[in-house]
Amino acid sequence: MRILSRPTSEGDAAEDWAVDAGAADIATLDIPPSAHRRRLFAVDVRFAVRAAAAGAWQALSVELNGVREWSRRIDSHGPIDTLDYHCRRELDIGQSLRIRAVTQRGGAQRMRLLIEAEEQARP
C-alpha cells in the first residue's frame, strides 16, 4: 500500500491512498477516519487483463463500506483491456472508507488490479 500526503489550502496534509494487488482477484483499501476534518476522495479502480482466448471476458465489482456500488462484465477487446470505475466519496469526521474490488475473468489472464483514492479540495 502506498500512502502519500501533500499540503492543502487549510494547512492539513491531503491524503493519497493506493493498493496495487498485482494479479490478485481481490483488492481492499482501507482509509482510516480523521478526527479533525471532513474529506472528499476521488476513487479509481482499474482491472487489466490480457486476452488469452477468443471470447475472453472480464468482470469487476466494487464495494464501498460493504455495499456493492457498481458491477460490470464485458467482453475483452484487443490483446490487453481494462475495466475501470470512478467515483467520489465524502467522509464526515470520524468516518472511514473501505474499498473492495472483486474480479472475475474467462479466457483472459489477470495483469493488474489497482485501487487509488486521492483527496480532493471540497467546494
Side-chain angles (χ1 to χ4, degrees):
M1 177 172 34
R2 180 182 79 213
I3 304 168
L4 304 171
S5 64
R6 62 191 189 291
T8 66
S9 59
E10 296 85 28
D12 292 321
E15 302 170 34
D16 290 331
W17 298 84
V19 62
D20 187 337
D25 58 344
I26 298 174
T28 303
L29 176 62
D30 289 308
I31 300 174
S34 170
H36 306 289
R37 62 191 170 91
R38 295 172 67 189
R39 300 169 294 167
L40 175 65
F41 284 95
V43 175
D44 296 302
V45 181
R46 172 166 277 199
F47 176 43
V49 299
R50 180 184 319 274
W57 58 270
Q58 64 207 62
L60 172 64
S61 292
V62 177
E63 300 171 1
L64 300 178
N65 288 336
V67 177
R68 181 180 284 174
E69 183 77 14
W70 183 85
S71 186
R72 292 288 182 278
R73 178 181 160 164
I74 63 169
D75 292 334
S76 298
H77 301 284
I80 296 176
D81 200 3
T82 62
L83 190 51
D84 300 283
Y85 174 72
H86 310 282
C87 72
R88 290 181 184 260
R89 186 64 59 175
E90 188 165 352
L91 303 181
D92 286 326
I93 293 172
Q95 185 179 12
S96 61
L97 179 61
R98 171 170 275 197
I99 306 160
R100 184 171 182 253
V102 179
T103 66
Q104 296 178 315
R105 80 309 184 268
Q109 175 187 1
R110 285 184 180 91
M111 293 176 55
R112 187 176 194 199
L113 177 56
L114 176 66
I115 303 173
E116 296 178 301
E118 180 180 312
E119 188 176 4
Q120 306 289 294
R122 290 186 326 111

